[in-house]
Amino acid sequence: MTLNRKCVVIHNGSHRTVAGFSNVELPQCIIPSSYVKRTDDAGKAEFIFGTYDMIDATAEKRSDDEVYTLMDSQGLPYNWEALELQWRYMYETQLKVSPEELPLVITMPATNGKPDMSILERYYELAFDKLKVPVFQIVIEPLAIALSMGKSSAFVIDMGASGCNVTPIIDGIVVKNAVVRSKFGGDFLDFQVHEKLAPMIKEENDMETMADEEKSSTDVWHEANTWIQQFKSTMLQVSEKDLIELERYYKEQAEIFARQQEQLKQMDQQLQYTALTGSPNNPLLQKKNFLFKPLNKTITLDFKDCYEFAEYLFKPQLISDKFSPEDGLGPLMAKSVKKAGASINSMKANTSANLNGLGTSHMHTTAGDNANGSSSNNISPEQVYSLLLTNIIITGSSSLIEGMEQRIIKELSIRFPQYKLTTFANQVMMDRKIQGWLGAITMANLPSWNLGKWYSKEDYESLKRDGKQSQPTNASANTN
Ligand code: ATP
């Protein structure tokens, strides 16, 4: 049975929120997951949402304005009052429907261990008590992304703002204790870009606000969403291999070149002139220019500097000894694959016993593209490795940095040399930026209500009565 269903779909990332309808492939709005709080002379608070309104407000540099975020460093909401205001803002000004009219689907990141029940309860409270949506579904973002790409097993690497999430999925089950997270993502890069460029800006500019150490939250937000964002998308690059190795390689090449020059010089005076005019081409020393719009000045960096920023995601210890090499993306991905291999069988046993106890959807999806027949009870760690490594999905806006896909392949191939690797990264920039939301609309559009884990107000009431999670009913009965 195919239902002609229309739902509202909201993806609250830690950096941006995407909202739209399940029957339209482009979202109605993409706005920051933050807001400006402004207090007027009468002491009344005003909340400013929306990219352009926030950019305008922060550009005014009012001393009393503050920027607040909605999501914590794990990508989970913590500022519930503001989240309600943001949803209402989107319903009223962007979606232009009443929350009571349509089912709502939202996303949540996969977490290591059990989902925090208090978060789920706050979501239900917001959806049912405050906004009065008729039915509600929470989908796990990486799982929705994998399933929407036709994969029931995948290794999802989501490089966002607050960090990078690595989620192994086997047979439609998130291998929870193998979910790992690195705290180094887009926000961390913002900080590094600011640190590196501040002295250059200061040299050329007396405006103390540009490179001041004590910045207000509105200044930090404004910079991150204007020139730092442009700098990241145009200047940053990822080297295909370890940057230190690459530097050593080019140094060796230069030495070989110098030796050859010397030999040529000794052999033939005639060749001397030509030889000395040539020089080894070290790509790391080439220059790249960035137009710093606030001052209309060009900032020039070596390619090596541009590579260095993203290198920190793989080798955070280069920034400070305080950061462990184990927190780099390479070791974390390897850890996740190995943990998934070690724990999938016990995980599958537990999950099948507790399918409906988690409050989020699609834990019980049947295998679709499982080539190894691993839907049977036991699967060897090697089979898990192979399933994951042939289905690597790279997503999140920070993965748009040039060369990221190749570097991820390199990092994994060093650690799993005997396995074939296949990556899937959406080449349409916009789609990669909203991949989580696109995954959620696929889940909202599944041909039957039974395939999703919908909750109705009645389910929520009985859940509250029981004081624990209850089995959801087929919500179609409540909505049609
Ligand atoms: P999270 O996954 O942490 O919840 P999110 O889903 O809200 O975050 P994304 O859109 O995946 O966020 O990533 C946002 C980050 O990506 C920001 O730090 C932003 O500056 C950065 N970013 C956006 N576009 C690019 C680009 N073209 N190149 C590099 N970084 C980019």
Side-chain angles (χ1 to χ4, degrees):
M1 179 182 65
T2 305
L3 295 178
N4 189 13
R5 181 194 325 141
K6 179 178 174 185
C7 308
V8 167
V9 180
I10 298 178
H11 162 66
N12 274 110
S14 61
H15 176 73
R16 65 170 105 217
T17 297
V18 186
F21 299 107
S22 59
N23 61 344
V24 185
E25 283 194 2
L26 276 179
Q28 293 297 113
C29 67
I30 302 177
I31 63 170
S33 294
S34 45
Y35 60 96
V36 176
K37 187 174 177 194
R38 174 171 287 178
T39 314
D40 66 16
D41 295 341
K44 195 167 170 281
E46 184 191 355
F47 298 85
I48 302 170
F49 292 101
T51 313
Y52 297 112
D53 289 345
M54 282 184 73
I55 287 182
D56 289 347
T58 48
E60 286 175 32
K61 294 184 178 295
R62 292 206 201 174
S63 60
D64 291 344
D65 286 356
E66 289 291 351
V67 171
Y68 294 97
T69 55
L70 302 173
M71 318 300 277
D72 65 14
S73 57
Q74 304 293 310
L76 296 169
Y78 71 96
N79 188 347
W80 290 94
E81 287 74 27
L83 186 69
E84 180 185 349
L85 290 173
Q86 191 216 34
W87 283 17
R88 288 191 187 283
Y89 163 84
M90 291 189 297
Y91 271 106
E92 276 161 33
T93 61
Q94 311 286 333
L95 303 168
K96 299 188 173 42
V97 287
S98 157
E100 294 167 36
E101 280 175 46
L102 296 172
L104 172 63
V105 179
I106 65 158
T107 60
M108 241 176 91
T111 47
N112 186 323
K114 282 192 172 169
D116 187 341
M117 280 308 168
S118 64
I119 300 266
L120 296 178
E121 278 164 24
R122 295 295 299 257
Y123 263 132
Y124 293 135
E125 192 187 322
L126 175 57
F128 293 122
D129 290 343
K130 304 213 162 127
L131 295 177
K132 309 214 178 315
V133 300
V135 274
F136 180 53
Q137 184 182 190
I138 301 176
V139 300
I140 298 174
E141 184 187 350
L143 187 55
I145 290 174
L147 295 176
S148 68
M149 292 173 81
K151 295 182 178 303
S152 61
S153 297
F155 189 58
V156 184
I157 302 164
D158 182 356
M159 308 188 74
S162 57
C164 299
N165 281 313
V166 180
T167 312
I169 296 165
I170 299 285
D171 274 0
I173 299 170
V174 172
V175 189
K176 286 191 163 286
N177 44 4
V179 173
V180 295
R181 179 177 175 82
S182 131
K183 60 186 174 211
F184 305 105
D187 292 345
F188 171 77
L189 292 178
D190 288 352
F191 178 73
Q192 294 309 330
V193 170
H194 179 268
E195 289 294 286
K196 174 100 188 170
L197 266 62
M200 298 184 187
I201 296 162
K202 204 172 187 175
E203 255 173 39
E204 305 185 29
N205 171 40
D206 287 337
M207 287 161 59
E208 68 290 352
T209 48
M210 282 295 167
D212 223 357
E213 283 181 7
E214 282 296 307
K215 278 177 178 288
S216 68
S217 61
T218 48
D219 286 338
V220 172
W221 187 91
H222 190 83
E223 287 192 355
N225 287 275
T226 51
W227 69 266
I228 292 182
Q229 171 64 52
Q230 280 157 10
F231 183 89
K232 287 202 300 183
S233 52
T234 54
M235 298 287 282
L236 262 50
Q237 275 179 288
V238 189
S239 63
E240 199 187 317
K241 52 179 161 182
D242 187 315
L243 190 56
I244 297 171
E245 262 179 49
L246 203 63
E247 272 185 280
R248 198 179 304 134
Y249 169 78
Y250 287 125
K251 200 167 156 226
E252 280 166 13
Q253 293 295 308
E255 283 164 9
I256 292 169
F257 184 84
R259 273 201 300 275
Q260 283 172 347
Q261 299 284 46
E262 194 56 39
Q263 283 165 1
L264 284 172
K265 198 168 139 188
Q266 287 167 4
M267 279 165 59
D268 189 339
Q269 287 296 319
Q270 186 59 38
L271 278 173
Q272 186 186 352
Y273 174 72
T274 352
L276 288 177
T277 51
S279 67
N281 182 18
N282 183 348
L284 295 181
L285 300 179
Q286 284 175 15
K287 305 283 178 206
K288 212 171 174 185
N289 293 326
F290 174 67
L291 177 63
F292 180 65
K293 286 214 181 115
L295 293 174
N296 228 8
K297 288 260 160 71
T298 301
I299 293 176
T300 305
L301 294 176
D302 285 349
F303 264 49
K304 177 177 168 271
D305 297 324
C306 300
Y307 281 131
E308 234 168 29
F309 293 108
E311 190 68 15
Y312 298 145
L313 302 181
F314 295 91
K315 297 198 142 193
Q317 71 272 24
L318 294 178
I319 293 264
S320 153
D321 300 345
K322 278 187 280 173
F323 299 132
S324 157
E326 294 306 305
D327 289 337
L329 194 52
L332 280 180
M333 292 188 298
K335 186 171 148 192
S336 175
V337 172
K338 287 180 185 157
K339 271 191 148 187
S343 55
I344 182 65
N345 290 324
S346 55
M347 174 75 200
K348 281 174 91 171
N350 286 344
T351 309
S352 53
N354 288 312
L355 276 179
N356 290 319
L358 299 174
T360 45
S361 72
H362 315 301
M363 302 306 289
H364 54 306
T365 312
T366 50
D369 62 351
N370 185 353
N372 290 6
S374 54
S375 52
S376 62
N377 277 339
N378 277 327
I379 171 169
S380 69
E382 289 72 26
Q383 282 176 308
V384 172
Y385 292 3
S386 166
L387 263 180
L388 294 177
L389 295 172
T390 47
N391 291 293
I392 301 165
I393 298 176
I394 301 172
T395 182
S397 306
S398 295
S399 71
L400 287 166
I401 301 172
E402 203 184 316
M404 188 62 84
E405 198 175 340
Q406 289 78 356
R407 179 61 181 269
I408 287 176
I409 293 174
K410 181 85 186 170
E411 293 282 329
L412 283 168
S413 64
I414 298 168
R415 290 170 174 90
F416 300 95
Q418 67 278 46
Y419 290 91
K420 178 174 173 267
L421 304 179
T422 319
T423 52
F424 301 85
N426 206 320
Q427 296 308 314
V428 182
M429 194 198 268
M430 182 62 178
D431 284 359
R432 181 115 50 113
K433 286 188 172 191
I434 59 168
Q435 196 95 51
W437 181 82
L438 290 172
I441 66 169
T442 308
M443 295 299 113
N445 286 330
L446 288 175
S448 158
W449 288 94
N450 294 325
L451 292 169
K453 194 167 184 181
W454 293 92
Y455 275 81
S456 66
K457 174 86 175 164
E458 287 72 31
D459 295 321
Y460 169 59
E461 293 297 341
S462 69
L463 185 146
K464 274 207 296 193
R465 264 199 311 279
D466 298 351
K468 60 182 175 66
Q469 290 283 321
S470 65
Q471 300 242 346
T473 56
N474 181 353
S476 55
N478 302 308
T479 50
N480 292 338

